[in-house]
């Protein structure tokens, strides 16, 4: 039900991890995610540790889901000297193409312990259903 939109995105993510580069609004870093089906909905979980809830932006346009987040530096006093900084800062973004069978009008978003979880219900029209067979009826021929 989910489709990758950019085959080179994973290579960018690996390169950014190796180079420890900071994402910007024009070139955001990728964020790790899991996606799975649970009953009648799809669940997508994004890792965003240390990101404030108000720094997360979720948009859906047609079937393109876009999640952007920004991890800002923690305010430090003037007398603090940084000894080690490995946690990436900056902008993170991920785009996911959603299938037409998902109900993008009723996406539920929750943020807990640094994980953004989106629950997307499967549209009623996409769920399996039984088709009743009607009684025999005569066909009408159309003459031209």
């Amino acid at each position: 039900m989910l489709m990758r939109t950019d085959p080179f995105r994973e290579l960018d993510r690996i390169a950014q991890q190796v180079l420890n580069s900071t994402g910007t609004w024009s070139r955001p870093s990728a964020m790790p995610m899991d996606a799975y089906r649970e009953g009648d909905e799809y669940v997508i979980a994004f890792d965003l540790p240390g990101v404030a809830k108000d720094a997360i932006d979720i948009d859906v346009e047609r079937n393109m889901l876009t999640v952007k987040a920004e991890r800002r530096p923690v305010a430090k006093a003037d007398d603090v000297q940084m000894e080690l900084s490995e946690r990436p800062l900056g902008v993170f973004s991920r785009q996911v193409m959603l299938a037409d069978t998902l109900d993008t009008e009723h996406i539920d978003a929750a943020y807990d312990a640094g994980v953004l979880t989106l629950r997307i219900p499967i549209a009623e029209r996409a769920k399996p259903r039984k088709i009743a067979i009607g009684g025999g009826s005569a066909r009408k021929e159309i003459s031209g």
Side-chain angles (χ1 to χ4, degrees):
M1 293 278 183
L2 303 175
M3 297 171 272
R4 290 187 184 264
T5 57
D6 184 357
F8 299 103
R9 186 79 174 194
E10 186 66 14
L11 291 173
D12 285 343
R13 185 185 67 78
I14 292 169
Q16 287 172 354
Q17 283 181 337
V18 170
L19 300 174
N20 198 19
S21 63
T22 301
T24 63
W25 284 104
S26 61
R27 187 154 178 87
S29 299
M31 65 184 80
M33 73 173 219
D34 290 336
Y36 53 93
R37 182 174 176 164
E38 185 176 274
D40 283 342
E41 61 187 7
Y42 267 86
V43 180
I44 306 174
F46 298 93
D47 279 351
L48 294 169
V51 175
K53 185 177 175 180
D54 63 344
I56 300 171
D57 186 39
I58 306 166
D59 290 313
V60 176
E61 184 176 338
R62 296 193 182 132
N63 287 4
M64 181 64 71
L65 170 73
T66 303
V67 177
K68 280 193 175 185
E70 183 176 12
R71 183 183 301 140
R72 300 173 182 117
V74 178
K76 297 176 187 71
D78 291 338
D79 63 344
V80 172
Q81 181 179 344
M82 183 61 80
E83 295 292 329
L84 178 66
S85 179
E86 293 181 345
R87 296 173 51 214
L89 301 174
V91 179
F92 302 87
S93 178
R94 194 73 185 252
Q95 286 190 314
V96 180
M97 179 67 81
L98 303 176
D100 291 332
T101 56
L102 299 177
D103 184 358
T104 59
E105 297 293 321
H106 296 97
I107 296 175
D108 178 55
Y111 187 60
D112 184 42
V115 178
L116 173 66
T117 303
L118 303 180
R119 295 184 170 278
I120 310 166
I122 295 174
E124 287 297 322
R125 69 182 181 280
K127 292 180 184 176
R129 59 192 176 281
K130 294 286 185 186
I131 306 296
I133 300 173
S137 62
R139 273 191 177 171
K140 291 184 182 180
E141 276 193 37
I142 301 174
S143 56

